[in-house]
Amino acid sequence: MTKTLWFGGNNNGVEQLKIGELAELANVTKRTVDYYTTKGLLKASRSDSNYRFYDKAAIDQLGFIEECKKNGLSLEEIKQLLICRDLKETDITTASRELEEKLKELNTDLGTILSMLENADGNSKLHLKKTISRESLSLIQTLLLLLV
């Protein structure tokens, strides 16, 4: 099912998958692969005739994307996770420090919110529940995934 293609006169053969082959192997539609490529979640090589081809790593990447979606993450959050996965070790250390600082800020904010909740009446608590968005919950899940 995979093809060895030669791009632009390059004699280094690289196994590549056509969009339909990738979709079938990853158990998604061609439209899904196309959409994720357009959104920057997947990377494709172009042939001389402008066809898109994907390497075998795209199969695992599609599985990761679908699993993240099942866990309620937005495509933008998934894209950020994919970027983090591809960072070099030094970049990861820097990103880790930044996340730790952000987590400290969030913990401080959470302490403030919890204190306010303890002193709030029933209507205020109900209002707060209504204003917490799905994006906020997704952000919390993303942070937890990055810290584990």
Side-chain angles (χ1 to χ4, degrees):
M1 181 171 270
T2 60
K3 310 240 185 259
T4 301
L5 301 171
W6 311 95
F7 291 108
N10 182 356
N11 23 350
N12 294 328
V14 178
E15 285 190 283
Q16 299 283 305
L17 299 166
K18 292 180 182 177
I19 189 170
E21 295 169 333
L22 175 60
E24 185 177 332
L25 288 170
N27 201 25
V28 297
T29 64
K30 290 193 299 187
R31 186 173 174 162
T32 298
V33 174
D34 182 53
Y35 183 70
Y36 290 163
T37 303
T38 302
K39 290 293 186 182
L41 297 170
L42 294 172
K43 290 182 175 57
S45 303
R46 292 279 183 174
S47 69
D48 292 337
S49 55
N50 209 28
Y51 287 103
R52 276 182 286 188
F53 291 93
Y54 300 84
D55 62 24
K56 286 189 169 189
I59 299 168
D60 292 332
Q61 196 155 349
L62 272 168
F64 178 77
I65 293 167
E66 292 299 310
E67 188 64 30
C68 287
K69 281 180 52 184
K70 286 179 189 172
N71 287 317
L73 298 176
S74 71
L75 292 181
E76 188 56 39
E77 291 166 331
I78 295 169
K79 186 175 182 179
Q80 293 305 313
L81 285 175
L82 290 170
I83 290 169
C84 288
R85 272 185 13 169
D86 295 337
L87 291 175
K88 294 179 183 175
E89 189 63 37
T90 55
D91 294 335
I92 290 173
T93 302
T94 302
S96 177
R97 281 190 214 122
E98 290 173 4
L99 283 172
E100 286 174 12
E101 286 300 316
K102 186 64 177 173
L103 188 58
K104 286 178 187 175
E105 291 174 24
L106 290 172
N107 277 330
T108 301
D109 292 345
L110 183 59
T112 303
I113 291 170
L114 289 174
S115 173
M116 288 171 41
L117 275 175
E118 288 175 4
N119 299 324
D121 61 17
N123 287 334
S124 297
K125 289 179 183 179
L126 183 62
H127 176 71
L128 183 61
K129 283 183 182 179
K130 289 181 180 179
T131 58
I132 294 178
S133 66
R134 288 181 151 238
E135 289 80 18
S136 297
L137 294 175
S138 294
L139 177 60
I140 292 167
Q141 287 176 330
T142 302
L143 286 171
L144 290 173
L145 282 173
L146 290 172
L147 295 174
V148 173

